[in-house]
Amino acid sequence: MNFPISNVGKIPNQASSILALVVLTLIWGYGWVVVKQALIWCAPVEFAALRSIIGGLFLFFIIFLKKNSLKPVHIKPMLWLSLLQTVGFMGTGALALVEGSVGKSAVLVYTMPLWAIIFAAHFLKEPICKLQWLALCIAGLGLIGIIDPWETYFTLASTLFALIAGLLWGVSVIISKEMELNNTAELININAWQMFIGGLALEILSYFMGESIPIWNSTFLQALAYNSILSSALGWILWLYALQHLSASITSLSSLGVPVVTIILAGMILNEAPTLPETVGVILILVSLAILSIATFLKR
């Protein structure tokens, strides 16, 4: 997917897109820990709704300051992203954290790259090279180790919610990749609307689920601000930025670094000690990322 020549100066090159993924990895990696802490004071779907609505309103404010149009663009894909990326991914991702540990839930959600590479090969005709296949297989083995399904504390509901989140996110990657965004203003616009509309849908869903209202305190407000502004508003902009310049398969598989960061931080902050299979799984994922980097360099 190429942008018009007139907008080349406004769109990041490959190096800045990779930098965006690195920053995003750190933001989202810590974000999972923050969500787990926030669920002490707020129901899962309600929290997903609040962070989406606030994040969308923040982006509307940015659009207003930049004096750009608030009229929604690319309405059809935007609505699909609202359903899949905001309602589906963020809603089921939050539900997965209710019973599941932060590290495992994050890793299961990040089976998304496995789905996205397959979807991209089928729908976007992005070929999978031998090194990418190798990275995919090693990452799959690493995920099995981190899932650790043979342990007695294995939680089925949390596992299913996390896997569904990854699958829905994988579908949204294909939709995002097919969008023809002309400039940064459109990028911010579509993120603002998909988050706001999806957040309202989550709020309605939370109401019919009978979830309790949040317990408002300074700690909860800090967690909400982090996940609304950084993880959601800025995070999805960085994500779509990278998708617009890099291939869907490379962008998606690169995001496997997020659960690795999450596992490390969950151990440091929440005292979630990884088992031996989980540790081996993390190492295998790091190896797969190294192979993916080599594959990206050879594809240039």
Side-chain angles (χ1 to χ4, degrees):
M1 179 183 298
N2 296 316
F3 287 94
I5 297 299
S6 59
N7 293 305
V8 168
K10 300 180 180 180
I11 304 301
N13 56 25
Q14 189 177 55
S16 60
S17 296
I18 294 174
L19 178 61
L21 284 178
V22 173
V23 174
L24 183 60
T25 296
L26 298 176
I27 292 175
W28 277 356
Y30 179 55
W32 283 93
V33 176
V34 178
V35 172
K36 183 68 173 182
Q37 294 172 321
L39 293 184
I40 298 174
W41 302 283
C42 186
V45 176
E46 174 66 17
F47 184 74
L50 288 174
R51 65 181 289 192
S52 300
I53 293 173
I54 295 173
L57 291 175
F58 175 79
L59 291 181
F60 283 139
F61 180 65
I62 297 298
I63 294 172
F64 174 77
L65 290 180
K66 294 176 69 66
K67 298 181 179 181
N68 293 323
S69 174
L70 289 171
K71 182 179 179 180
V73 298
H74 304 283
I75 295 177
K76 185 176 179 180
M78 179 271 291
L79 291 175
W80 275 112
L81 288 178
S82 297
L83 176 63
L84 297 170
Q85 193 165 276
T86 301
V87 178
F89 165 70
M90 296 184 69
T92 53
L95 286 169
L97 285 174
V98 174
E99 294 183 2
S101 67
V102 175
K104 284 190 177 182
S105 296
V107 171
L108 288 171
V109 169
Y110 277 81
T111 56
M112 173 276 293
L114 310 180
W115 302 109
I117 287 178
I118 296 172
F119 293 151
H122 181 73
F123 294 106
L124 303 182
K125 309 304 180 184
E126 291 186 2
I128 305 176
C129 69
K130 293 181 179 179
L131 281 179
Q132 284 178 311
W133 274 117
L134 178 60
L136 192 63
C137 293
I138 293 176
L141 291 175
L143 288 173
I144 292 174
I146 295 176
I147 292 171
D148 210 4
W150 44 81
E151 292 292 342
T152 56
Y153 53 79
F154 177 72
T155 53
L156 179 60
S158 174
T159 299
L160 289 178
F161 278 129
L163 286 173
I164 291 172
L167 176 60
L168 294 176
W169 191 9
V171 177
S172 73
V173 166
I174 305 305
I175 295 174
S176 300
K177 189 62 180 176
E178 290 190 316
M179 289 190 302
E180 293 287 347
L181 299 180
N182 295 310
N183 48 50
T184 305
E186 288 189 1
L187 182 66
I188 298 175
N189 182 288
I190 198 169
N191 272 285
W193 279 106
Q194 67 102 356
M195 288 176 60
F196 184 72
I197 293 175
L200 292 179
L202 283 168
E203 192 65 61
I204 295 172
L205 181 61
S206 174
Y207 173 79
F208 282 104
M209 290 175 64
E211 290 189 337
S212 59
I213 61 175
I215 299 175
W216 298 91
N217 54 49
S218 60
T219 305
F220 173 68
L221 287 174
Q222 291 173 15
L224 183 59
Y226 183 94
N227 282 279
S228 299
I229 308 304
L230 291 179
S231 288
S232 297
L234 177 60
W236 288 124
I237 287 177
L238 292 174
W239 175 251
L240 285 184
Y241 242 1
L243 272 177
Q244 292 298 310
H245 199 73
L246 302 172
S247 72
S249 58
I250 290 175
T251 305
S252 300
L253 194 53
S254 296
S255 66
L256 280 173
V258 173
V260 174
V261 173
T262 300
I263 289 175
I264 295 172
L265 293 178
M268 296 171 59
I269 299 172
L270 303 178
N271 295 319
E272 289 187 359
T275 63
L276 178 60
E278 289 174 336
T279 303
V280 173
V282 170
I283 294 174
L284 288 175
I285 288 177
L286 290 174
V287 171
S288 73
L289 291 174
I291 295 174
L292 179 65
S293 300
I294 296 173
T296 304
F297 177 79
L298 294 178
K299 271 192 167 187
R300 292 177 181 177

